[in-house]
Amino acid sequence: MTTSTQETSLHESERAWMEQAITLATTSATSGGGPFGALVAKDGQVVADAHNQVTATLDPSAHAEVNAIRAACKELGTFALDGCTLITSCEPCPMCLATSLWARIDRLVFAADRHDAAVAGFDDRKFYDLFEKKPSSLWPMQVEQLDLPNRTAPFNAWVAKSDRIDY
């Protein structure tokens, strides 16, 4: 396959996967979940898919992207999703974006954006603003450091552990 043919095939796959993510989100919205869907693909195949389950599980971290990443990690037997693409029906919130970064996702593709989500009542823009513009003194929760002498003890133990799996 030529590079042009491969790129066309990839874009066609991504379009089909996005349709799948949007269908997941729509089904979730009509069956008691949140209107968000996501999937993780690797080597041209969908590895895992998920939808938002925040209210269904009473878990504020049960966003579609996080759920899909968790399922993909379990399916692939790894915490690092190098070579994977995350397809999501909506622009990831800061938590989901950070999770994607920690999972080492190679590529992220989304459909709706944060402004579309806000119109539907899912206004995460204040969280984006929080991280992008506001000093921590203006955050809606207090954030402070308690500087104890043993603050690095967990890291010291980690570094000293000979059988650790570096992350």
Side-chain angles (χ1 to χ4, degrees), residues 88-107:
T88 181
S89 63
C90 187
E91 180 180 10
C93 72
M95 176 185 70
C96 293
L97 184 57
T99 302
S100 301
L101 292 167
W102 277 107
R104 309 300 194 263
I105 296 282
D106 279 1
R107 185 161 155 54

Side-chain angles (χ1 to χ4, degrees), residues 20-92:
Q20 185 178 341
I22 291 169
T23 298
L24 280 168
T26 305
T27 301
S28 179
T30 60
S31 61
F36 302 94
L39 60 86
V40 175
K42 183 171 185 170
D43 298 328
Q45 301 295 316
V46 173
V47 175
D49 64 24
H51 62 278
N52 181 287
Q53 294 182 308
V54 170
T55 57
T57 62
L58 304 178
D59 178 354
S61 70
H63 290 201
E65 298 89 342
V66 172
N67 290 339
I69 288 168
R70 286 176 179 153
C73 287
K74 190 173 271 190
E75 178 66 26
L76 296 173
T78 182
F79 57 81
L81 298 178
D82 305 274
C84 291
T85 299
L86 175 64
I87 306 286
T88 181
S89 63
C90 187
E91 180 180 10

Side-chain angles (χ1 to χ4, degrees), residues 4-5 12-13 33 45 49 55 64 85-86 88 94 112 118 121-122 124-125 136 143-144 152 155 160-161:
S4 172
T5 306
E12 288 172 4
S13 294
Q45 301 295 316
D49 64 24
T55 57
T85 299
L86 175 64
T88 181
F122 296 90
D124 292 343
R125 292 176 297 189
S136 62
V143 177
E144 63 182 83
T152 61
F155 300 120
K161 184 175 166 59

